[in-house]
């Protein structure tokens, strides 16, 4: 196990303050927040949380910073993000270590998460020279019609514990090249990683005399801090990742003031295993998707929809792998399943298993808490597989824990219907070597999710594509492709370079 004290010193987190803006640290004036490690339950920090009033002051400073930041040329803002990416490269190992301490994900996945930050920085750097608008033909002579993308304003970012740093980076890297300051409310369960990212950023910004220090800030606090971000008219966009319940509240509050929200909420992701599936590949993808990050990704595989003809073979294979799954210390080489975030997560898992059983489900493996060979004080579980009818109510819910429900199907149309039968619409996958089936699944009458994969699992998306989903998942798109447009405002501009004033639609109006 690594030394938390050494990591805390490296990121100046021995006496953390709830508000970090530029290089300034301001102690919170709210109730005391205790940060515990899911690895062994030890207390990592104790700090007073920020209040709504303190949040409002940070937002005001971000709004002032926007005035100067929006006229810094985009490629220069890209250079800032490039340097931040370099700072992350230099700190990859230690930031990943802090991620494991604070959210419990295994070392490999923590390194992957920091890599995801680096990747999105690289993407944003290129983007900073390519925030292009269109030039369109005008119907009037000697006129030019064009669209320009301008910085939008300061952005509020609310993130969850399970990706304590990468999801902020998806937002921040794009927002910064777009010319927008970022005010970040991390999960109360993972404030230290956020403060570490902010101070790394503050260090980079210090080398840019033309960039206001206040463009990157963190406010550690509870729902009142999130509520303040959602209701502040100074924030034209609030990007929120987390539960459907939280997202609905944010969306309602932001909509009341006609602001924009970008939501990445719950998933309830299915994988269809068709008769021609490569069972070896499918098994590996299912296991990574269902037990990776201890089942606590929004992209976690929660439902396996398997064709009757291969169901027994696939379930037997899965059972064998599940029985040997190394559960334990997330720092130890070889561990594949780390701890759940806290006791409440185990409670939710055992409740869901109880409900499944009472709704006719059959527990095939796992589903128990384990105390042997794991660090004391953490919540460690054996991932569960439950065979259950696709119509059982429990299957409609996202339980943030490693439970995989198995349903059997006969016809592909039924499998697709099952895939689409839940309120959430984030990720989905089909394993098949039949091209017709694959195309049907990713086509217009196929999966209704924002992510639809073939022969690769539901989790572990690259940053290059737009990430997000439909229905209760909230409809937002983050990270790659043209997601940057959410962080900018579009101005349509008509320029008349002639000596006449022709009106559009041929209107005659001679005063
Ligand atoms: C999340 O769980 O909120 O596709 C994000 C994935 C990761 C991101 C997950 N790249 O699993």
């Amino acid at each position: 196990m690594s030394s938390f004290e050494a990591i805390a010193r490296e990121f100046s987190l021995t006496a953390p303050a709830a508000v970090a803006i530029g290089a300034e640290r301001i102690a919170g004036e709210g109730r005391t927040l205790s940060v515990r490690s899911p690895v062994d339950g030890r207390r990592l920090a104790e700090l007073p949380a920020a209040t709504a009033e303190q949040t409002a002051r940070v937002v005001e400073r971000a709004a002032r910073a926007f005035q100067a930041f929006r006229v810094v040329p985009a490629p220069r803002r890209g250079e800032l993000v490039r340097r931040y990416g370099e700072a992350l490269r230099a700190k990859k190992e230690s930031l990943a270590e802090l991620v494991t301490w604070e959210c419990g994900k295994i070392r490999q996945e923590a390194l992957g998460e920091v890599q995801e930050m680096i990747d999105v920085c690289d993407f944003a750097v290129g983007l900073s020279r390519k925030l292009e608008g269109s030039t369109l033909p005008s119907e009037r002579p000697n006129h030019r019609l064009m669209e320009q993308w301008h910085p939008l304003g300061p952005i509020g970012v609310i993130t969850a514990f399970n990706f304590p740093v990468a999801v902020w980076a998806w937002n921040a890297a794009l927002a910064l090249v777009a010319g927008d300051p970022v005010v970040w409310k991390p999960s109360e369960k993972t404030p230290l990683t956020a403060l570490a990212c902010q101070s790394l950023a503050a260090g980079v910004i210090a080398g840019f005399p033309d960039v206001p220090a206040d463009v990157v800030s963190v406010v550690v606090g509870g729902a009142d801090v999130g509520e303040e971000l959602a209701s502040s008219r100074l924030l034209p966009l609030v990007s929120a990742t987390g539960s459907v319940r939280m997202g609905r509240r944010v969306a309602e509050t932001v909509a009341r003031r006609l602001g924009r929200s970008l939501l990445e909420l719950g998933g309830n992701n299915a994988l269809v295993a068709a008769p021609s599936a490569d069972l070896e590949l499918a098994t590996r993808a299912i296991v990574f998707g269902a037990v990776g990050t201890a089942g606590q990704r929004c992209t976690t595989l929660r439902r396996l929809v398997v064709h009757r003809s291969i169901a027994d073979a696939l379930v037997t294979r899965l059972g064998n792998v599940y029985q040997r799954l190394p559960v334990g210390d997330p720092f130890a080489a070889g561990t594949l399943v780390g701890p759940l975030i806290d006791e409440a997560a185990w409670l939710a898992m055992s409740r869901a298993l109880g409900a499944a059983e009472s709704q006719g489900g059959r527990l095939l493996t796992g589903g128990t808490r384990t105390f042997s060979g794991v660090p004391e004080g953490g919540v460690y579980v054996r991932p569960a597989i439950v065979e259950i009818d696709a119509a059982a109510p429990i299957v409609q819910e996202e339980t943030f824990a490693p439970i995989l429900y198995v349903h059997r199907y006969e016809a592909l149309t039924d499998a697709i219907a099952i895939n689409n039968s839940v309120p959430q619409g984030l990720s989905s996958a089909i394993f098949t070597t039949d091209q017709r089936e694959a195309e049907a699944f990713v086509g217009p009458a196929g999966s209704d999710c924002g992510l639809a994969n073939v022969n690769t699992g539901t989790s572990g998306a690259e940053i290059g594509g737009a990430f997000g989903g439909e229905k209760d998942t909230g409809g937002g798109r983050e990270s790659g492709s043209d997601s940057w447009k959410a962080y900018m405002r579009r101005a349509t501009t008509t320029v008349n370079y002639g000596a006449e004033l022709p009106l559009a639609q041929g209107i005659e109006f001679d005063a």
Side-chain angles (χ1 to χ4, degrees):
M1 206 178 268
S2 84
S3 154
F4 173 71
E5 287 67 32
I7 285 292
R9 273 196 304 276
E10 185 175 340
F11 289 105
S12 310
L13 289 168
T14 38
V19 176
I21 178 160
E24 219 179 301
R25 302 288 170 266
I26 306 163
E29 292 162 4
R31 73 193 154 77
T32 301
L33 191 73
S34 181
V35 185
R36 291 195 173 271
S37 175
V39 177
D40 56 5
R42 80 174 65 181
R43 195 167 72 196
L44 300 179
E46 198 164 73
L47 68 162
T51 60
E53 295 72 43
Q54 289 185 294
T55 309
R57 285 199 284 277
V58 170
V59 170
E60 277 161 27
R61 284 176 61 171
R64 271 199 298 280
F66 175 63
Q67 301 300 315
F69 194 43
R70 63 185 175 176
V71 291
V72 173
R76 174 76 176 154
R77 301 191 298 249
E79 171 65 5
L80 177 75
V81 172
R82 191 182 70 77
R83 298 270 188 86
Y84 188 61
E86 279 183 353
L88 287 172
R89 281 182 167 91
K91 291 279 185 192
K92 182 174 174 183
E93 298 278 323
S94 38
L95 184 56
E97 212 162 305
L98 186 61
V99 164
T100 297
W101 272 118
E102 215 181 21
C103 85
K105 65 176 63 176
I106 63 169
R107 182 103 182 115
Q108 271 303 309
E109 292 191 89
L111 286 166
E113 172 158 5
V114 179
Q115 186 59 46
E116 195 159 343
M117 302 175 79
I118 294 168
D119 293 345
V120 79
C121 285
D122 287 356
F123 177 83
V125 175
L127 200 58
S128 72
R129 290 186 183 268
K130 213 182 148 341
L131 299 167
E132 82 273 32
S134 327
T135 303
L136 304 142
S138 169
E139 66 191 51
R140 289 169 279 182
N142 300 326
H143 279 58
R144 178 156 59 91
L145 185 55
M146 65 175 182
E147 290 180 337
Q148 293 186 84
W149 290 92
H150 295 309
L152 180 66
I155 310 299
V157 176
I158 298 171
T159 58
F161 78 84
N162 66 329
F163 272 80
V165 291
V167 172
W168 166 76
W170 296 349
N171 284 279
L174 295 195
L176 290 174
V177 299
D180 306 334
V182 179
V183 181
W184 179 13
K185 181 212 169 299
S187 162
E188 280 171 281
K189 293 171 186 168
T190 55
L192 300 180
T193 41
L195 293 169
C197 292
Q198 195 279 345
S199 60
L200 267 191
V204 171
I205 295 167
F208 285 70
D210 49 339
V211 172
D214 292 356
V215 293
V216 175
S217 54
V218 167
V219 185
V220 174
D224 52 335
V225 168
E227 201 57 43
E228 179 62 35
L229 296 181
S231 59
S232 172
R233 295 185 69 89
L234 295 175
L235 300 174
L237 172 69
V238 177
S239 169
T241 301
S243 69
V244 174
R245 202 169 54 91
M246 178 280 302
R248 219 183 280 282
R249 251 178 57 190
V250 167
E252 282 168 6
T253 309
V254 173
R256 219 172 295 133
R257 61 175 172 92
L258 301 180
R260 292 188 209 163
S261 48
L262 196 169
L263 303 175
E264 203 253 285
L265 311 176
N268 190 353
N269 316 297
L271 182 150
V272 176
S276 66
D278 178 325
L279 288 189
E280 175 60 28
L281 291 195
T283 303
R284 280 161 53 189
I286 291 163
V287 175
F288 176 64
V291 314
T293 326
Q296 300 169 112
R297 289 195 191 211
C298 55
T299 52
T300 290
L301 177 63
R302 309 208 176 278
R303 300 177 295 137
L304 171 63
V305 188
V306 56
H307 193 267
R308 284 193 190 285
S309 62
I310 58 163
D312 288 338
L314 186 54
V315 168
T316 303
R317 268 176 189 258
L318 288 171
N320 290 339
V321 178
Y322 267 58
Q323 249 138 46
R324 302 185 266 105
L325 275 177
V327 175
D329 179 359
F331 286 109
T335 297
L336 294 181
V337 183
L340 292 181
I341 188 68
D342 53 21
E343 292 283 341
W346 162 240
L347 201 68
M349 178 172 178
S350 46
R351 272 206 192 119
L353 289 172
E357 218 158 9
S358 71
Q359 293 167 20
R362 203 160 52 89
L363 182 66
L364 303 181
T365 181
T368 50
R369 187 154 169 187
T370 174
F371 297 91
S372 73
V374 303
E376 227 173 281
V379 179
Y380 293 83
V381 299
R382 303 289 319 171
I385 302 180
V386 177
E387 177 143 12
I388 189 167
D389 197 283
I394 188 66
V395 168
Q396 300 283 311
E397 286 173 32
E398 176 192 44
T399 302
F400 231 51
I403 303 175
L404 179 65
Y405 299 117
V406 177
H407 318 304
R408 300 183 187 225
Y409 80 91
E410 198 73 62
L412 184 65
T413 46
D414 297 336
I416 292 172
I418 292 172
N419 181 77
N420 297 350
S421 67
V422 295
Q424 310 84 349
L426 180 57
S427 189
S428 59
I430 189 168
F431 271 72
T432 180
T433 50
D434 177 333
Q435 195 182 359
R436 286 181 180 166
E437 284 188 334
E439 294 292 337
F441 188 77
V442 300
S447 163
D448 64 1
C449 295
L451 308 167
N453 298 332
V454 177
N455 294 331
T456 187
T458 55
S459 66
E462 305 173 14
I463 60 92
F467 182 91
E470 307 300 337
K471 304 193 289 185
D472 278 6
T473 303
R477 291 297 186 278
E478 292 177 313
S479 85
S481 185
D482 64 353
S483 304
W484 59 271
K485 290 181 175 171
Y487 302 82
M488 302 199 83
R489 67 181 173 87
R490 182 197 322 235
T492 301
T493 301
T494 307
V495 178
N496 176 4
Y497 54 89
E500 308 286 331
L501 191 72
L503 298 178
Q505 296 90 42
I507 291 177
E508 300 282 352
F509 196 92
D510 281 328

